[in-house]
Amino acid sequence: MSSTNGQVIRCKAAVAWEAGKPLVIEEVEVAPPQKMEVRVKILFTSLCHTDVYFWEAKGQNPVFPRILGHEAGGVVESVGEGVTDLQPGDHVLPVFTGECKECAHCKSEESNMCDLLRINTDRGVMLHDQKSRFSINGKPIFHFVGTSTFSEYTVVHVGCLAKINPLAPLDKVCVLSCGISTGLGATLNVAQPKKGSSVAVFGLGAVGLAAAEGARIAGASRIIGVDLNANRFELAKKFGVTEFVNPKDYKKPVQEVIAELTNGGVDRSVECTGHIDAMISAFECVHDGWGVAVLVGVPHKDAVFKTSPMNLLNERTLKGTFFGNYKPRSDIPSVVEKYMNKELELEKFITHEVPFSEINKAFELMLKGEGLRCIIHMDA
């Protein structure tokens, strides 16, 4: 690997030239890592809904041309000045948020919202010099959330890389670098259901099913899946979901339905859709006295959460979470170990696999709502 150390690497990358247009496989130049940066050879990446959202660029600043991708696994090729935690050959998961280990958030046991490396969807350059490490014929191609994994090689800030067990299969654990950890941590770290308790999960996409998986691991006895798509229930059973509620089947609000099913409300709820009505329902369906609702889904920027203050005064708790409250460098390696010791199952999240040359097929599958995670093989 050291033969490329300090050199520009030419490799293939899938470039989004403009909003909503198919990605184009191009030869790009990837500059060497600068101070506190690491260049990583990406072996496997997967498609997350966030990639599609920013590729469509309907609700945010369009930043193009850009290399998307943020769920991935790879191997360190070279490190820049000041990097001591990683060396060439280390296996890593790039993460869209980071952990500088120096700021107040990183030093706090309660927060994972690093001041320096918190997600920034508008920034298309590296922090060190505000420049891109990607170019085509001298023209810069922008980064995406500090990861840009739809490239055979990428450059990432050291604080956004989790060093993991080299024996862990990267084609499986790569899904832990975003959505699966988000849902899993929302349940295990934030909702913290007790053994034998009841949990409602709103939204049974990949993140919601990861939240259900967390409830299963925690030993919840009733896991109620709430979704407008009845076709999702059969698959959800694999993740521990015991009952299914489709709000469309009832004339009354779904929170009332759940309260009736559970003798006053569930012990915990996790909201994974980002729809404001579902967020309110998730809060109002928890039991008074001890119920805890956790919001995971990202709402529309103008959405307003409305509920009676009595719902809080009657001892219900409302919490929010970001990336499942996991600190990327400190915590994600232990989530990988949960998979390695068979406590956590990842194979069931992976429903499709495609070679890198067919990356647009992964986008088509997600736009059709087919499957959960599609693994993209970079060397195929």
Side-chain angles (χ1 to χ4, degrees):
M1 278 198 183
S2 57
S3 61
T4 50
N5 191 4
Q7 309 290 315
V8 170
I9 289 178
R10 284 180 176 76
C11 69
K12 290 196 189 80
V15 177
W17 286 101
E18 54 185 304
K21 296 286 169 68
L23 307 189
V24 182
I25 304 286
E26 306 274 13
E27 184 178 77
V28 298
E29 290 100 39
V30 185
Q34 302 300 305
K35 189 175 182 179
M36 301 309 286
E37 296 172 2
V38 178
R39 191 160 57 185
V40 178
K41 179 179 172 62
I42 299 293
L43 298 178
F44 301 94
T45 186
S46 66
L47 183 64
C48 166
H49 200 270
T50 308
D51 296 306
V52 176
Y53 186 66
F54 283 90
W55 166 72
E56 289 179 323
K58 288 174 184 170
Q60 62 286 323
N61 294 336
V63 181
F64 296 99
R66 195 173 212 183
I67 297 172
L68 297 163
H70 64 284
E71 269 191 9
V75 178
V76 173
E77 174 269 337
S78 61
V79 301
E81 180 194 336
V83 175
T84 55
D85 291 13
L86 292 170
Q87 57 190 34
D90 283 344
H91 286 216
V92 290
L93 301 182
V95 182
F96 63 90
T97 185
E99 182 185 353
C100 71
K101 299 198 173 181
E102 301 292 326
C103 71
H105 283 277
C106 286
K107 288 180 173 173
S108 160
E109 287 182 12
E110 297 177 56
S111 176
N112 66 339
M113 300 186 74
C114 175
D115 277 329
L116 179 69
L117 300 169
R118 191 181 302 189
I119 185 170
N120 182 328
T121 55
D122 291 337
R123 188 173 59 229
V125 293
M126 298 301 288
L127 281 172
H128 173 63
D129 57 3
Q130 302 298 307
K131 291 179 181 170
S132 174
R133 301 288 171 262
F134 298 110
S135 60
I136 295 179
N137 300 324
K139 183 181 182 240
I141 307 293
F142 294 113
H143 294 251
F144 176 62
V145 296
T147 52
S148 291
T149 61
F150 295 165
S151 175
E152 291 175 323
Y153 287 87
T154 188
V155 176
V156 181
H157 191 286
V158 66
C160 298
L161 289 167
K163 179 183 173 182
I164 63 161
N165 182 342
L167 298 176
L170 288 170
D171 61 331
K172 306 292 188 292
V173 298
C174 64
V175 298
L176 290 172
S177 65
C178 178
I180 309 309
S181 294
T182 295
L184 187 75
T187 304
L188 293 178
N189 298 336
V190 189
Q192 297 184 342
K194 295 184 173 72
K195 199 173 166 111
S197 62
S198 58
V199 179
V201 177
F202 285 72
L204 298 176
V207 175
L209 291 173
E213 177 79 354
R216 183 191 69 76
I217 291 169
S221 60
R222 290 181 77 181
I223 303 172
I224 301 169
V226 184
D227 202 294
L228 296 169
N229 182 351
N231 297 332
R232 287 180 157 177
F233 186 42
E234 206 47 49
L235 177 65
K237 288 178 183 173
K238 286 189 189 174
F239 299 83
V241 174
T242 56
E243 298 155 71
F244 184 71
V245 173
N246 186 337
K248 289 195 291 197
D249 294 343
Y250 301 89
K251 289 198 167 61
K252 61 178 91 170
V254 70
Q255 51 268 49
E256 290 179 23
V257 175
I258 291 170
E260 285 173 15
L261 282 172
T262 55
N263 196 21
V266 286
D267 302 311
R268 301 287 186 266
S269 72
V270 186
E271 199 295 315
C272 303
T273 72
H275 291 291
I276 193 65
D277 292 340
M279 291 179 159
I280 294 165
S281 298
F283 173 55
E284 294 183 353
C285 81
V286 299
H287 206 290
D288 58 4
W290 62 79
V292 179
V294 179
L295 305 184
V296 181
V298 180
H300 187 276
K301 65 182 189 324
D302 299 325
V304 177
F305 188 98
K306 291 180 180 172
T307 192
S308 165
M310 288 308 299
N311 288 322
L312 289 153
L313 292 168
N314 286 333
E315 299 177 6
R316 292 178 183 86
T317 302
L318 179 64
K319 292 183 169 186
T321 177
F322 170 69
F323 191 50
N325 280 38
Y326 287 120
K327 292 178 186 272
R329 295 160 87 183
S330 303
D331 298 334
I332 293 304
S334 64
V335 183
V336 169
E337 292 310 311
K338 275 189 198 296
Y339 168 75
M340 294 298 280
N341 64 30
K342 300 193 165 41
E343 189 183 343
L344 166 65
E345 298 167 18
L346 292 178
E347 283 81 0
K348 60 194 178 188
F349 288 99
I350 298 163
T351 51
H352 297 86
E353 306 199 27
V354 297
F356 188 36
S357 59
E358 293 175 28
I359 188 168
N360 288 304
K361 195 169 166 190
F363 278 75
E364 288 163 23
L365 288 165
M366 185 157 279
L367 288 168
K368 284 187 206 158
E370 289 180 23
L372 295 172
R373 280 293 182 266
C374 179
I375 304 295
I376 298 152
H377 294 245
M378 300 303 287
D379 56 358

